C-alpha cells in the first residue's frame, strides 16, 4: 500500500543517512531536495547529499544518495536500470544547475560532484546475493560524456557497512580515540599517506580497509604505547588471499615501526582455524611483530536493529 | 597466480590499456561499481585506488587480451572394457606416484562425480628460458573421463599441446601397471581413422550443423592436407570464398566444384575456422576445429571473441568457465559427427 511504502521509505531513508554519517560522511542541506535540470525542466528528488574530502584528489567530493526499500520480487535488472538512469541524470542536472544546487545543497563549497550511491534495502527475507549480482551484470549503463560513478549497495554491502561501524567503535574505544583509517601513498598520486576518520567510496567497496592506532599497554608500572596496524579483511579466507594481503601490507609499508598487526574478519573464525594457523606459520618473523586474528562484531541481519550510538 | 600485491601504476596500465572496456565494465558492475564513462584512463585512475583481493586480480588477469586467455579443448578415446568405477580405482591407485622421472609427471587427485572421473595432473614443463637456460614451470591441468554410448572419452581443456601429450603418457603409464596393458589403451582421434572418401564428409557435416545456440556467419579459413604428407596448407582466398559461400547457402561440400578439385588432387580438409554468432547473447566467436598433425591431436579452440554493441564488434574476453562450457558442447558435436562417420565406415 502506498502509505505503508512511504512510511517504510522514510524509515529506510533515515537509517541510510544514519549509516553514511557513521561512516564519517557529512550530510549537507536537507533530505529530499529537488534539483531541476535546466535543459528539460525535469525535477530530480535528491534523497540526501553528502560530502567528504577525497585524500587522493585533495578535493571535496559530493555524493548523491538514493535510498530505496523494496521487496525482493520488485528487484530486477529493469528496476536497477531505471534507478541508475535517474541517478545519472540527477548528477548531470546538478552539474548544469549550479545556482539551485548551491542554494539548496552545496552552499558554495568547491566540490566535485560525479558520484552517487544507491542504498537498496531488500526488506523481506528473500534477498539473494548471487541473483542480485546477476541482475547487476545485465544492467545497461547509460552513456554520458563526463565521467560519473554510481555505486550500488544492497543488503550484503549495507550490513557490511554496519559491521565496519561497530568495529570502528570498538577500535576507537580501545585506542582512546587514536584509531584512524589509513590511506596509503599510491604511485600515480602525489600525496603522503593520510589518516582519516571517514571512509571513501573506494574503501567501502574494497576487500581490505587499513587502519592505524596506538594502544597504551601497561607493563609493571610503565605505560608503553603500542603501534598497531589494523586490517578489516573482506576477501575470501584462503591461503592465497591471505598471502596477497600480507604482501599488500609490505607494499604499503604497514609493517614499518609497528608492534602488532591485527586482522579482523567478518566470518566466524573457528571455521577457518586451519587456514589461519597455516598462514601464521608462513609469516616471516620480522621485527617481532605480533599477528592477531579477531572477529568483527557482525551486524544483525535486520538493519533496523543496528543503531548509531552517540 | 598473483603473489605480489599490484602497484597502482600497474593496475592503471592494465585497466587503461591491456583490458577491453567491456571487460572492465563487467568486472566492476558485478562488484556494484558502475562507471558512466567512455575513457578507460579515467576509470583506471579510480580503480587503482581500490584494494581488490585475490580472486579479483585473478579475474582481471584473465581478461588481458592475449592468446593464453582463449581456451581450447582436446580429447582422446579410451579403448577399454572396464567400467567407470574400475577406471577411477585404477587411476586412484597410482595417485601420488611419479609416472615419469624426468618431469615428475603425477596424478595429484581424483574425484568421481556424477559418473565423471576428474583427474588432476601435474608435471614440470622445461622450455628454453629468456634468463635461465631452461625455464622450469610446474603445470597443472585436469582430465575429465566421461562415458557416452559405451565409449569412454578423456577430455582436457589443455593450455598447450604438451598437456595433451601428457594425457596420453599418463594413460599409457597406468595401463602398463595392469596385468594386461591392452585393458586400457589410449586411442587417438585422428582424421586418418576415417577412410579418405569420408574425410571431407566430416567437415561437410560440421559446417552445415545446426547448433542450438549458434549460427554460422562465415567460414574464415580451411586447412588442407595431402595424402602422405603431414603438412597442412591454407587454401587460397578466392577458393575459400567460393567454398564459404556455398556452405552459407547450405550446399553440400561434396558437390562443390572447388572441393572436388582438391579431392581429385589427393587433398582432404584437416581443419576449419568458423565465425559463429550466438543466437541470444550479442557475442561472436572464431572457432577452430582442427586435426593437428604434430602432435596428432584433435583440437577445438576459441581463437577470438567479440561483443556486439550498437552493431559494432568490440573485442572481449569471455569468462573462462563460459568458454569451457561452449567448448564442451562443441566437442559433443564433434564426437557425434566423427563417430557417426566412423560407424558408417565400419558398416560399409
Amino acid at each position: 500500500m502506498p502509505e505503508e511504502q512511504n512510511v517504510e521509505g522514510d524509515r529506510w531513508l533515515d537509517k541510510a543517512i544514519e549509516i553514511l554519517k557513521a561512516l564519517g560522511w557529512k550530510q549537507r542541506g536537507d533530505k529530499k531536495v529537488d534539483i531541476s535540470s535546466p535543459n528539460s525542466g525535469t525535477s530530480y528528488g535528491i534523497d540526501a547529499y553528502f560530502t567528504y574530502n577525497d585524500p587522493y584528489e585533495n578535493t571535496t567530493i559530493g555524493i548523491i544518495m538514493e535510498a530505496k526499500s523494496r521487496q525482493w520480487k520488485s528487484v530486477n535488472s529493469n528496476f536497477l536500470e531505471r534507478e541508475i538512469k535517474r541517478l545519472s541524470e540527477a548528477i548531470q542536472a546538478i552539474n548544469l544547475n549550479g545556482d539551485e544546487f548551491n542554494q539548496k545543497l552545496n552552499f558554495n563549497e568547491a566540490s566535485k560532484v560525479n558520484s552517487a550511491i544507491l542504498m537498496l534495502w531488500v526488506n523481506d527475507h528473500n534477498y539473494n546475493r548471487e541473483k542480485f549480482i546477476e541482475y547487476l551484470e545485465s544492467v545497461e549503463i547509460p552513456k554520458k560524456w563526463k565521467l560519473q560513478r554510481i555505486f550500488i549497495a544492497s543488503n550484503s554491502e549495507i550490513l557490511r557497512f554496519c559491521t565496519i561501524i561497530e568495529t570502528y567503535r570498538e577500535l576507537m574505544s580501545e585506542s582512546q580515540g587514536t584509531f584512524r583509517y589509513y590511506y596509503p601513498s599510491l604511485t600515480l598520486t602525489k600525496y603522503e599517506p593520510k589518516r582519516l576518520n571517514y571512509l571513501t567510496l573506494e574503501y567501502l567497496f574494497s576487500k581490505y580497509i587499513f587502519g592505524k592506532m596506538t594502544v597504551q599497554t601497561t607493563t609493571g608500572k610503565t605505560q608503553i604505547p603500542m603501534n598497531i596496524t589494523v586490517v578489516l579483511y573482506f576477501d575470501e579466507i584462503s591461503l592465497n588471499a591471505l598471502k596477497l594481503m600480507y604482501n599488500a601490507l609490505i607494499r604499503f609499508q604497514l609493517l614499518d615501526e609497528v608492534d602488532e598487526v591485527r586482522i579482523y574478519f567478518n566470518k566466524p573464525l573457528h571455521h577457518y582455524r586451519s587456514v589461519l594457523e597455516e598462514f601464521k606459520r608462513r609469516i616471516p618473523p620480522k621485527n617481532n611483530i605480533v599477528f592477531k586474528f579477531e572477529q568483527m562484531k557482525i551486524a544483525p541481519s535486520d538493519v533496523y536493529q543496528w543503531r548509531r550510538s552517540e | 597466480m598473483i603473489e605480489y600485491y599490484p602497484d597502482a601504476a600497474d593496475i592503471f596500465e592494465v585497466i587503461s590499456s591491456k583490458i577491453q572496456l567491456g571487460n572492465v565494465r563487467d568486472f566492476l558492475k558485478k562488484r556494484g561499481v558502475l562507471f558512466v564513462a567512455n575513457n578507460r584512463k579515467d576509470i583506471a585512475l579510480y580503480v587503482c585506488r581500490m584494494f581488490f583481493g585475490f580472486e579479483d586480480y585473478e579475474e582481471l588477469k584473465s581478461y588481458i587480451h592475449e592468446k593464453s586467455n582463449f581456451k581450447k579443448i582436446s580429447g582422446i578415446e579410451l579403448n577399454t572394457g572396464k567400467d567407470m568405477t574400475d577406471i577411477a580405482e585404477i587411476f586412484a591407485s597410482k595417485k601420488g606416484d611419479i609416472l615419469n622421472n624426468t618431469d615428475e609427471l603425477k596424478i595429484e587427485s581424483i574425484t568421481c562425480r556424477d559418473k565423471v572421473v576428474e583427474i588432476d595432473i601435474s608435471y614440470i614443463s622445461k622450455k628454453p628460458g629468456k634468463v635461465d637456460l631452461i625455464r622450469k614451470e610446474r603445470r597443472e591441468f585436469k582430465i575429465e573421463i566421461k562415458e557416452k554410448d559405451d565409449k569412454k572419452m578423456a577430455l582436457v581443456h589443455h593450455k598447450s599441446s604438451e598437456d595433451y601429450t601428457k594425457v596420453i603418457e599418463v594413460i599409457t603409464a597406468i595401463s602398463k601397471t595392469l596385468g594386461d596393458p591392452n585393458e586400457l589403451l589410449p586411442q587417438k582421434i585422428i582424421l586418418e581413422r576415417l577412410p579418405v572418401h569420408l574425410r571431407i564428409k566430416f567437415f561437410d557435416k560440421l559446417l552445415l550443423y545446426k547448433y542450438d545456440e549458434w549460427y554460422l556467419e562465415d567460414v574464415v579459413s580451411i586447412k588442407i592436407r595431402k595424402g602422405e604428407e603431414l603438412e597442412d596448407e591454407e587454401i587460397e582466398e578466392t577458393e575459400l570464398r567460393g567454398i564459404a559461400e556455398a556452405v552459407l547457402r547450405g550446399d553440400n561440400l561434396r558437390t562443390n566444384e572447388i572441393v572436388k578439385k582438391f579431392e581429385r588432387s589427393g587433398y582432404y580438409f584437416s581443419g576449419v575456422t568458423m565465425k559463429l554468432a550466438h543466437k541470444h547473447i550479442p557475442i561472436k566467436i572464431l572457432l577452430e576445429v582442427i586435426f593437428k598433425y604434430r602432435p596428432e591431436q584433435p583440437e577445438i579452440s576459441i581463437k577470438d571473441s567479440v561483443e556486439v554493441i550498437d552493431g559494432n564488434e568490440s573485442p572481449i574476453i569471455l569468462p573462462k568457465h563460459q568458454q569451457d562450457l561452449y567448448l564442451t558442447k562443441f566437442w559433443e558435436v564433434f564426437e557425434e559427427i566423427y563417430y557417426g562417420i566412423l560407424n558408417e565406415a565400419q558398416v560399409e
Side-chain angles (χ1 to χ4, degrees), chain A residues 139 148 150 152 207 247 251, chain B residues 3 5 29 32 34 51 56:
Chain A
V139 155
Q148 296 177 342
I150 301 174
I152 316 280
K207 290 288 184 356
N247 286 327
R251 176 171 290 291
Chain B
E3 289 192 357
Y5 200 80
K29 255 202 259 182
L34 280 69
F51 299 101
D56 300 321

Side-chain angles (χ1 to χ4, degrees), chain A residues 164-176:
Chain A
I164 293 172
I165 296 164
E166 286 309 297
T167 312
Y168 173 76
R169 277 196 208 142
E170 279 182 7
L171 291 166
M172 282 296 260
S173 169
E174 188 188 343
S175 66
Q176 289 159 328

Side-chain angles (χ1 to χ4, degrees), chain B residues 237-265:
Chain B
E237 186 62 27
T238 27
E239 289 162 331
L240 175 64
R241 281 297 104 222
I243 298 177
E245 276 162 25
V247 166
L248 291 171
R249 275 196 307 266
D251 295 351
N252 248 312
L253 273 187
R254 287 157 288 156
T255 58
N256 184 279
E257 283 309 319
I258 308 172
V259 173
K260 282 197 210 167
K261 189 189 76 173
F262 279 118
E263 276 192 294
R264 280 194 296 268
S265 314

